[in-house]
Amino acid sequence: MRRAAVLGAGAWGTAFAKILAEAGSDVTMWARRDSVAAAIREQHTNESSLPGVKLPSLVTATSDLGQALSGAELVFLAVPSQTLRGNLADWAGHLPADCTLVSLMKGIELGTTKRMSQVIVETAQVDPDRVVVVSGPNLAPEIAAEQPAATVVAGTDPARAQLVQQAIALPYIRPYTSDDVIGCELGGAVKNVIALAYGMAHAMGMGDNTKASLITRGLAETARLGVALGADPMTFAGLAGLGDLVATCSSPLSRNRTFGEHLGRGESLEAAQAAAKQTAEGVKSCLAIRDLARAHGVEMPITEQVERVCHEGVDPRVAVKLLMGREMKPE
């Protein structure tokens, strides 16, 4: 039986452990808190992150990293993107030889502007071929409820990508493989920023024309950056691009959209954080994405305005006027 480790016990990590076990893997989750690990191990639930979901018997959990990683062929990383480097620096010495490292994270690192796969390669000191990325429309509560969904498994080593594909294929999960790691990671990171803008627009009472415009122009600026970095432009028309963007913008389950709604109602970043209990990934990533775009001479007007609202205190209504008043250009 295939052994898999899931490092991180948030909603997505927990849902992914369920997927892996139901597809036939023996899964050990690592949780930072002993109480969370004990609840998963003894009651097969993680009420703090994914309430009401019963986990399969093949899922166990521990707060002991060495125990979680022992014998793991597949290691899934499911921590907040801005904490990955610090965590992985501590974990690298415990990783099993030749295990496949799978990123479930969607973000760009602050300061370095590196994608999560790049952080993994650099920090764990592994060959890029050992890293696989999972992206696409992945709202954890829906997947945990076994609602049909598709996802993308991207890697530069086709054999490893196919191994992960086989490990998560289920009647309610259809995984596709891709070799465009750059495109899949950028799609997953930038869509969080566009979802913040979408949430602001929704809270301000703006209609479907506005929201459709945000999605399509948000996709356009994501693709511009992707192409500048060497991604396949067609990736952004697929699950890891448009699919993930639509789901994250339109669903009330989306943390980024919900956070944007708080900002759109005129709340400060601090008040929005208090109401949401935690910061949405797009709030931090918008800074790194803005810096990445500027470094490559790519115009990303929606991202720029989201960053100004989140970190410079600009009123969302002012941001809308600035977006609409920009110089006219061909579509």
Coordinates of all heavy atoms in Angstrom, one line a residue, residues 141-224:
P141 N -14.4 22.4 1.3 CA -15.7 21.8 1.8 C -16.5 21.1 0.7 O -17.1 20.0 1.0 CB -16.5 23.0 2.3 CG -15.4 24.0 2.6 CD -14.4 23.8 1.6
E142 N -16.5 21.6 -0.5 CA -17.2 20.9 -1.6 C -16.5 19.5 -1.9 O -17.2 18.5 -2.1 CB -17.2 21.8 -2.8 CG -18.1 23.0 -2.7 CD -18.2 23.7 -4.0 OE1 -17.7 23.3 -5.0 OE2 -18.9 24.8 -4.0
I143 N -15.2 19.5 -1.9 CA -14.5 18.3 -2.2 C -14.7 17.3 -1.1 O -14.9 16.1 -1.3 CB -13.0 18.5 -2.6 CG1 -12.9 19.2 -3.9 CG2 -12.2 17.2 -2.5 CD1 -11.6 19.6 -4.3
A144 N -14.7 17.7 0.1 CA -14.9 16.8 1.3 C -16.3 16.3 1.2 O -16.5 15.2 1.7 CB -14.6 17.6 2.6
A145 N -17.2 17.0 0.7 CA -18.6 16.6 0.5 C -18.8 15.7 -0.7 O -19.9 15.3 -1.0 CB -19.6 17.7 0.5
E146 N -17.7 15.4 -1.4 CA -17.7 14.5 -2.6 C -18.5 15.0 -3.7 O -19.1 14.3 -4.5 CB -18.1 13.1 -2.2 CG -17.2 12.5 -1.1 CD -17.5 11.1 -0.7 OE1 -18.2 10.4 -1.4 OE2 -16.9 10.6 0.3
Q147 N -18.5 16.4 -3.9 CA -19.1 16.9 -5.1 C -18.1 16.8 -6.2 O -17.0 17.1 -6.0 CB -19.5 18.4 -4.8 CG -20.6 18.6 -3.7 CD -21.0 20.0 -3.5 OE1 -20.7 20.9 -4.3 NE2 -21.7 20.3 -2.4
P148 N -18.6 16.4 -7.4 CA -17.7 16.2 -8.5 C -16.8 17.4 -8.8 O -17.3 18.6 -8.9 CB -18.6 15.9 -9.7 CG -19.8 15.3 -9.0 CD -20.0 16.1 -7.8
A149 N -15.5 17.2 -9.1 CA -14.6 18.3 -9.4 C -13.4 17.7 -10.2 O -13.2 16.5 -10.2 CB -14.1 18.9 -8.1
A150 N -12.7 18.6 -10.8 CA -11.5 18.3 -11.6 C -10.4 19.1 -11.1 O -10.6 20.2 -10.5 CB -11.7 18.5 -13.1
T151 N -9.2 18.6 -11.2 CA -8.0 19.4 -10.8 C -6.8 19.1 -11.7 O -6.9 18.2 -12.6 CB -7.7 19.0 -9.3 OG1 -6.7 19.9 -8.7 CG2 -7.1 17.6 -9.2
V152 N -5.7 19.8 -11.5 CA -4.6 19.7 -12.4 C -3.4 19.3 -11.5 O -3.1 19.9 -10.4 CB -4.2 21.0 -13.1 CG1 -3.0 20.8 -14.0 CG2 -5.4 21.4 -14.0
V153 N -2.6 18.3 -12.0 CA -1.4 17.8 -11.3 C -0.2 18.2 -12.3 O -0.1 17.6 -13.3 CB -1.4 16.3 -11.0 CG1 -0.1 15.9 -10.4 CG2 -2.6 16.0 -10.1
A154 N 0.6 19.1 -11.9 CA 1.6 19.6 -12.8 C 3.0 19.2 -12.2 O 3.3 19.4 -11.0 CB 1.5 21.1 -12.9
G155 N 3.9 18.8 -13.2 CA 5.2 18.4 -12.8 C 6.1 18.3 -14.0 O 5.6 18.0 -15.1
T156 N 7.4 18.5 -13.8 CA 8.3 18.4 -14.9 C 8.7 16.9 -15.2 O 9.2 16.6 -16.3 CB 9.6 19.2 -14.7 OG1 10.2 18.8 -13.5 CG2 9.3 20.7 -14.7
D157 N 8.5 16.0 -14.2 CA 8.7 14.6 -14.4 C 7.3 13.9 -14.6 O 6.6 13.8 -13.7 CB 9.4 14.0 -13.2 CG 9.7 12.5 -13.3 OD1 9.1 11.9 -14.2 OD2 10.4 12.0 -12.5
P158 N 7.0 13.5 -15.8 CA 5.7 12.9 -16.1 C 5.4 11.7 -15.2 O 4.2 11.6 -14.8 CB 5.8 12.5 -17.6 CG 6.9 13.3 -18.2 CD 7.9 13.6 -17.1
A159 N 6.4 10.9 -14.9 CA 6.1 9.7 -14.1 C 5.6 10.1 -12.7 O 4.7 9.5 -12.1 CB 7.4 8.9 -14.0
R160 N 6.2 11.2 -12.1 CA 5.8 11.6 -10.8 C 4.4 12.3 -10.8 O 3.6 12.1 -9.9 CB 6.9 12.6 -10.1 CG 8.2 11.9 -9.8 CD 9.1 12.9 -9.1 NE 10.4 12.3 -8.9 CZ 10.9 11.7 -7.8 NH1 10.1 11.5 -6.8 NH2 12.1 11.2 -7.8
A161 N 4.2 13.0 -11.9 CA 2.9 13.7 -12.0 C 1.8 12.6 -12.1 O 0.7 12.7 -11.5 CB 2.9 14.6 -13.2
Q162 N 2.1 11.5 -12.9 CA 1.1 10.5 -13.1 C 0.9 9.7 -11.8 O -0.2 9.2 -11.5 CB 1.6 9.5 -14.2 CG 1.4 10.2 -15.6 CD 2.2 9.4 -16.7 OE1 2.7 8.3 -16.5 NE2 2.3 10.1 -17.8
L163 N 2.0 9.5 -11.0 CA 1.9 8.9 -9.7 C 0.9 9.6 -8.8 O 0.1 9.0 -8.1 CB 3.3 8.8 -9.0 CG 3.3 8.1 -7.6 CD1 3.0 6.7 -7.7 CD2 4.7 8.3 -7.0
V164 N 1.0 10.9 -8.7 CA 0.1 11.7 -7.9 C -1.3 11.7 -8.5 O -2.3 11.5 -7.8 CB 0.6 13.2 -7.8 CG1 -0.4 14.0 -7.1 CG2 2.0 13.2 -7.1
Q165 N -1.4 11.7 -9.8 CA -2.7 11.6 -10.5 C -3.4 10.3 -10.1 O -4.6 10.3 -9.7 CB -2.5 11.6 -12.0 CG -3.8 11.5 -12.8 CD -3.5 11.4 -14.3 OE1 -2.6 10.6 -14.7 NE2 -4.3 12.0 -15.1
Q166 N -2.7 9.2 -10.1 CA -3.3 7.9 -9.7 C -3.6 7.9 -8.3 O -4.6 7.2 -7.9 CB -2.3 6.8 -10.1 CG -2.1 6.6 -11.6 CD -0.8 5.8 -11.9 OE1 -0.1 5.3 -11.0 NE2 -0.5 5.8 -13.2
A167 N -2.9 8.6 -7.4 CA -3.1 8.5 -6.0 C -4.3 9.3 -5.6 O -4.8 9.2 -4.4 CB -1.8 9.1 -5.3
I168 N -4.9 10.2 -6.4 CA -6.0 11.0 -6.0 C -7.2 10.8 -6.9 O -8.2 11.5 -6.7 CB -5.6 12.5 -6.0 CG1 -5.3 13.0 -7.3 CG2 -4.5 12.7 -5.0 CD1 -5.0 14.6 -7.4
A169 N -7.1 9.9 -7.9 CA -8.3 9.7 -8.8 C -9.4 9.0 -8.1 O -9.2 7.9 -7.5 CB -7.8 8.9 -10.0
L170 N -10.6 9.6 -8.1 CA -11.8 9.0 -7.4 C -13.0 9.3 -8.3 O -13.0 10.1 -9.2 CB -11.9 9.7 -6.1 CG -11.0 9.3 -5.0 CD1 -11.1 10.2 -3.8 CD2 -11.2 7.8 -4.5
P171 N -14.1 8.6 -8.0 CA -15.3 8.9 -8.8 C -15.8 10.4 -8.7 O -16.4 10.9 -9.6 CB -16.4 8.0 -8.1 CG -15.6 6.9 -7.6 CD -14.3 7.5 -7.1
Y172 N -15.3 11.1 -7.7 CA -15.7 12.5 -7.6 C -14.5 13.5 -7.8 O -14.7 14.7 -7.7 CB -16.4 12.8 -6.2 CG -15.5 12.6 -5.0 CD1 -14.8 13.6 -4.5 CD2 -15.5 11.4 -4.4 CE1 -14.0 13.4 -3.4 CE2 -14.7 11.2 -3.2 CZ -14.0 12.2 -2.7 OH -13.2 12.0 -1.6
I173 N -13.3 12.9 -8.1 CA -12.2 13.8 -8.4 C -11.6 13.3 -9.7 O -11.2 12.1 -9.8 CB -11.1 13.7 -7.3 CG1 -11.6 14.3 -6.0 CG2 -9.8 14.4 -7.8 CD1 -11.6 15.8 -6.1
R174 N -11.5 14.1 -10.7 CA -10.9 13.8 -12.0 C -9.6 14.6 -12.2 O -9.7 15.8 -12.5 CB -11.8 14.0 -13.2 CG -11.3 13.6 -14.5 CD -12.3 13.7 -15.6 NE -11.7 13.3 -16.9 CZ -11.5 12.1 -17.3 NH1 -11.8 11.1 -16.6 NH2 -10.9 11.9 -18.5
P175 N -8.4 14.1 -11.9 CA -7.2 14.8 -12.1 C -6.6 14.7 -13.5 O -6.6 13.7 -14.1 CB -6.2 14.1 -11.1 CG -6.8 12.8 -10.9 CD -8.2 12.7 -11.4
Y176 N -6.1 15.9 -14.0 CA -5.5 15.9 -15.3 C -4.0 16.3 -15.0 O -3.7 17.0 -14.1 CB -6.1 17.0 -16.2 CG -7.5 16.8 -16.6 CD1 -8.6 17.1 -15.8 CD2 -7.7 16.2 -17.9 CE1 -9.9 16.8 -16.2 CE2 -9.0 15.9 -18.3 CZ -10.1 16.2 -17.4 OH -11.4 16.0 -17.8
T177 N -3.1 15.8 -15.9 CA -1.7 16.1 -15.7 C -1.3 17.3 -16.7 O -1.9 17.5 -17.7 CB -0.8 14.9 -15.9 OG1 -1.0 14.4 -17.2 CG2 -1.0 13.8 -14.9
S178 N -0.2 18.0 -16.3 CA 0.3 19.1 -17.1 C 1.8 19.2 -16.8 O 2.3 18.7 -15.7 CB -0.3 20.4 -16.7 OG 0.3 21.5 -17.2
D179 N 2.6 19.7 -17.7 CA 4.0 20.0 -17.5 C 4.3 21.4 -17.2 O 5.4 21.9 -17.1 CB 4.9 19.4 -18.6 CG 4.6 20.1 -20.0 OD1 3.7 21.0 -20.0 OD2 5.2 19.7 -21.0
D180 N 3.2 22.2 -17.2 CA 3.3 23.7 -17.0 C 3.2 24.1 -15.5 O 2.2 24.6 -15.1 CB 2.3 24.4 -17.8 CG 2.5 25.9 -17.8 OD1 3.6 26.4 -17.4 OD2 1.6 26.7 -18.3
V181 N 4.3 23.8 -14.8 CA 4.3 24.2 -13.4 C 4.2 25.7 -13.2 O 3.4 26.1 -12.3 CB 5.6 23.7 -12.7 CG1 5.7 24.1 -11.3 CG2 5.7 22.1 -12.8
I182 N 4.8 26.5 -14.0 CA 4.8 27.9 -13.8 C 3.3 28.4 -14.0 O 2.8 29.2 -13.1 CB 5.7 28.6 -14.9 CG1 7.2 28.3 -14.6 CG2 5.5 30.1 -14.8 CD1 8.1 28.7 -15.7
G183 N 2.7 28.0 -15.1 CA 1.3 28.5 -15.3 C 0.4 28.1 -14.2 O -0.5 28.9 -13.8
C184 N 0.5 26.8 -13.8 CA -0.5 26.3 -12.7 C -0.3 27.1 -11.4 O -1.2 27.4 -10.7 CB -0.3 24.8 -12.5 SG -0.9 23.8 -13.9
E185 N 1.0 27.3 -11.1 CA 1.2 28.0 -9.8 C 0.8 29.5 -9.9 O 0.2 30.0 -8.9 CB 2.7 27.9 -9.4 CG 3.1 26.6 -9.0 CD 4.5 26.5 -8.3 OE1 5.5 26.7 -9.1 OE2 4.6 26.4 -7.1
L186 N 1.1 30.1 -11.0 CA 0.7 31.5 -11.1 C -0.9 31.7 -11.1 O -1.4 32.6 -10.5 CB 1.2 32.2 -12.4 CG 2.7 32.7 -12.3 CD1 3.1 33.2 -13.6 CD2 2.9 33.7 -11.2
G187 N -1.5 30.8 -11.8 CA -3.0 30.8 -11.8 C -3.5 30.7 -10.4 O -4.5 31.4 -10.1
G188 N -3.0 29.8 -9.7 CA -3.4 29.6 -8.3 C -3.2 30.7 -7.4 O -3.9 31.0 -6.4
A189 N -2.1 31.4 -7.6 CA -1.7 32.5 -6.7 C -2.5 33.8 -7.1 O -3.0 34.5 -6.2 CB -0.2 32.8 -6.8
V190 N -2.5 34.2 -8.4 CA -3.1 35.4 -8.7 C -4.6 35.4 -8.6 O -5.2 36.4 -8.2 CB -2.7 35.8 -10.2 CG1 -3.3 37.2 -10.5 CG2 -1.2 35.9 -10.3
K191 N -5.2 34.3 -8.7 CA -6.7 34.2 -8.6 C -7.1 34.6 -7.2 O -8.3 35.2 -7.0 CB -7.2 32.8 -8.9 CG -6.7 31.7 -8.1 CD -7.5 31.3 -6.9 CE -6.8 30.2 -6.1 NZ -7.7 29.8 -4.9
N192 N -6.3 34.4 -6.2 CA -6.7 34.9 -4.8 C -6.8 36.4 -4.8 O -7.6 37.0 -4.1 CB -5.6 34.4 -3.8 CG -5.7 32.9 -3.6 OD1 -6.8 32.3 -3.6 ND2 -4.6 32.3 -3.2
V193 N -5.9 37.1 -5.5 CA -5.9 38.5 -5.5 C -7.1 39.1 -6.3 O -7.8 40.0 -5.8 CB -4.6 39.1 -6.2 CG1 -4.6 40.6 -6.2 CG2 -3.4 38.6 -5.5
I194 N -7.4 38.4 -7.4 CA -8.6 38.8 -8.2 C -9.9 38.6 -7.4 O -10.9 39.4 -7.4 CB -8.7 38.1 -9.5 CG1 -7.4 38.3 -10.3 CG2 -9.8 38.6 -10.4 CD1 -6.9 39.7 -10.5
A195 N -9.9 37.5 -6.6 CA -11.1 37.2 -5.7 C -11.3 38.2 -4.7 O -12.4 38.5 -4.3 CB -10.9 35.8 -5.1
L196 N -10.2 38.8 -4.2 CA -10.3 39.9 -3.2 C -11.1 41.1 -3.9 O -12.0 41.7 -3.3 CB -9.0 40.4 -2.7 CG -8.2 39.5 -1.8 CD1 -6.8 40.0 -1.6 CD2 -8.9 39.5 -0.4
A197 N -10.7 41.4 -5.1 CA -11.3 42.5 -5.9 C -12.8 42.2 -6.1 O -13.7 43.0 -6.0 CB -10.6 42.7 -7.2
Y198 N -13.1 40.9 -6.5 CA -14.4 40.5 -6.7 C -15.3 40.6 -5.4 O -16.4 41.1 -5.5 CB -14.4 39.0 -7.2 CG -15.7 38.4 -7.6 CD1 -16.0 38.3 -9.0 CD2 -16.7 38.0 -6.8 CE1 -17.2 37.8 -9.5 CE2 -17.9 37.5 -7.2 CZ -18.1 37.4 -8.6 OH -19.3 36.8 -9.0
G199 N -14.7 40.2 -4.3 CA -15.4 40.4 -3.0 C -15.7 41.8 -2.7 O -16.8 42.1 -2.2
M200 N -14.8 42.7 -3.0 CA -15.0 44.1 -2.8 C -16.2 44.6 -3.6 O -17.1 45.3 -3.2 CB -13.8 44.9 -3.1 CG -12.6 44.7 -2.2 SD -11.2 45.7 -2.7 CE -9.8 44.6 -2.2
A201 N -16.2 44.2 -4.9 CA -17.2 44.7 -5.8 C -18.6 44.2 -5.4 O -19.6 44.9 -5.5 CB -16.9 44.2 -7.3
H202 N -18.6 42.9 -5.0 CA -19.9 42.3 -4.5 C -20.4 43.1 -3.3 O -21.6 43.4 -3.2 CB -19.7 40.9 -4.1 CG -20.9 40.2 -3.7 ND1 -21.9 39.8 -4.5 CD2 -21.3 39.8 -2.4 CE1 -22.9 39.2 -3.8 NE2 -22.5 39.2 -2.5
A203 N -19.5 43.4 -2.3 CA -20.0 44.1 -1.1 C -20.4 45.5 -1.4 O -21.3 46.1 -0.7 CB -18.8 44.1 -0.1
M204 N -19.9 46.1 -2.5 CA -20.3 47.5 -2.9 C -21.5 47.5 -3.7 O -21.9 48.5 -4.2 CB -19.1 48.2 -3.6 CG -17.9 48.5 -2.7 SD -16.7 49.5 -3.5 CE -15.9 48.4 -4.6
G205 N -22.1 46.3 -3.9 CA -23.4 46.3 -4.7 C -23.2 46.3 -6.2 O -24.2 46.5 -6.9
M206 N -22.1 46.0 -6.7 CA -21.9 46.1 -8.1 C -22.4 44.8 -8.8 O -22.4 43.7 -8.1 CB -20.4 46.3 -8.4 CG -19.9 47.6 -8.0 SD -18.1 47.9 -8.3 CE -17.9 49.6 -7.6
G207 N -22.8 44.9 -10.0 CA -23.6 43.8 -10.7 C -22.7 42.9 -11.4 O -21.5 42.9 -11.4
D208 N -23.4 42.0 -12.2 CA -22.7 41.0 -12.9 C -21.8 41.5 -14.0 O -20.8 40.8 -14.4 CB -23.7 40.0 -13.5 CG -24.5 39.2 -12.4 OD1 -23.9 39.0 -11.4 OD2 -25.6 38.8 -12.7
N209 N -22.1 42.6 -14.6 CA -21.2 43.2 -15.7 C -19.8 43.5 -15.0 O -18.8 43.2 -15.6 CB -21.7 44.4 -16.3 CG -22.9 44.2 -17.2 OD1 -23.0 43.1 -17.8 ND2 -23.8 45.2 -17.4
T210 N -19.9 44.1 -13.9 CA -18.6 44.4 -13.1 C -17.8 43.2 -12.8 O -16.6 43.1 -13.0 CB -18.9 45.2 -11.9 OG1 -19.7 46.3 -12.2 CG2 -17.7 45.6 -11.1
K211 N -18.6 42.2 -12.3 CA -17.9 40.9 -11.8 C -17.3 40.2 -13.0 O -16.2 39.6 -12.9 CB -18.9 40.1 -11.0 CG -19.4 40.7 -9.7 CD -20.5 40.0 -9.1 CE -21.1 40.7 -7.9 NZ -22.2 40.0 -7.3
A212 N -18.1 40.1 -14.1 CA -17.6 39.4 -15.3 C -16.3 40.1 -15.8 O -15.4 39.5 -16.3 CB -18.6 39.3 -16.4
S213 N -16.3 41.5 -15.7 CA -15.2 42.2 -16.2 C -14.0 42.0 -15.3 O -12.8 41.8 -15.8 CB -15.5 43.7 -16.2 OG -16.6 44.0 -17.1
L214 N -14.2 41.9 -14.0 CA -13.1 41.6 -13.1 C -12.5 40.2 -13.4 O -11.2 40.0 -13.4 CB -13.5 41.6 -11.7 CG -13.6 43.0 -11.0 CD1 -14.3 42.9 -9.7 CD2 -12.2 43.6 -10.9
I215 N -13.3 39.2 -13.6 CA -12.8 37.9 -13.9 C -12.0 37.8 -15.2 O -10.9 37.3 -15.3 CB -14.0 36.8 -13.9 CG1 -14.5 36.6 -12.5 CG2 -13.5 35.5 -14.6 CD1 -15.7 35.7 -12.4
T216 N -12.6 38.4 -16.3 CA -11.9 38.3 -17.6 C -10.6 39.2 -17.6 O -9.6 38.7 -18.1 CB -12.9 38.7 -18.7 OG1 -13.5 40.0 -18.4 CG2 -14.0 37.7 -18.9
R217 N -10.7 40.4 -17.1 CA -9.5 41.2 -17.1 C -8.5 40.7 -16.1 O -7.3 40.8 -16.3 CB -9.8 42.7 -16.9 CG -10.7 43.3 -17.9 CD -10.2 43.0 -19.3 NE -8.9 43.5 -19.6 CZ -8.1 43.1 -20.6 NH1 -8.6 42.2 -21.5 NH2 -6.9 43.5 -20.7
G218 N -9.0 40.1 -15.0 CA -8.1 39.5 -14.0 C -7.3 38.3 -14.7 O -6.1 38.1 -14.5
L219 N -8.0 37.5 -15.5 CA -7.4 36.4 -16.2 C -6.4 36.9 -17.2 O -5.3 36.3 -17.3 CB -8.5 35.6 -16.9 CG -8.0 34.3 -17.6 CD1 -7.5 33.3 -16.5 CD2 -9.1 33.7 -18.4
A220 N -6.7 38.1 -17.8 CA -5.8 38.6 -18.8 C -4.5 39.0 -18.2 O -3.4 38.8 -18.7 CB -6.4 39.8 -19.5
E221 N -4.5 39.7 -17.0 CA -3.3 40.1 -16.4 C -2.5 38.9 -15.8 O -1.3 38.9 -15.8 CB -3.5 41.2 -15.4 CG -4.3 40.9 -14.1 CD -4.4 42.2 -13.3 OE1 -5.0 43.2 -13.7 OE2 -3.9 42.2 -12.2
T222 N -3.2 37.9 -15.4 CA -2.6 36.7 -14.9 C -1.8 36.0 -16.1 O -0.6 35.6 -15.9 CB -3.6 35.7 -14.4 OG1 -4.4 36.3 -13.4 CG2 -2.9 34.5 -13.8
A223 N -2.4 36.0 -17.2 CA -1.8 35.3 -18.4 C -0.6 36.2 -18.9 O 0.4 35.6 -19.3 CB -2.8 35.2 -19.5
R224 N -0.7 37.5 -18.8 CA 0.4 38.3 -19.2 C 1.6 38.0 -18.4 O 2.8 37.9 -18.9 CB 0.0 39.8 -19.1 CG -0.8 40.4 -20.2 CD -0.7 41.9 -20.3 NE -1.2 42.5 -19.0 CZ -2.4 42.9 -18.8 NH1 -3.4 42.7 -19.7 NH2 -2.8 43.5 -17.7

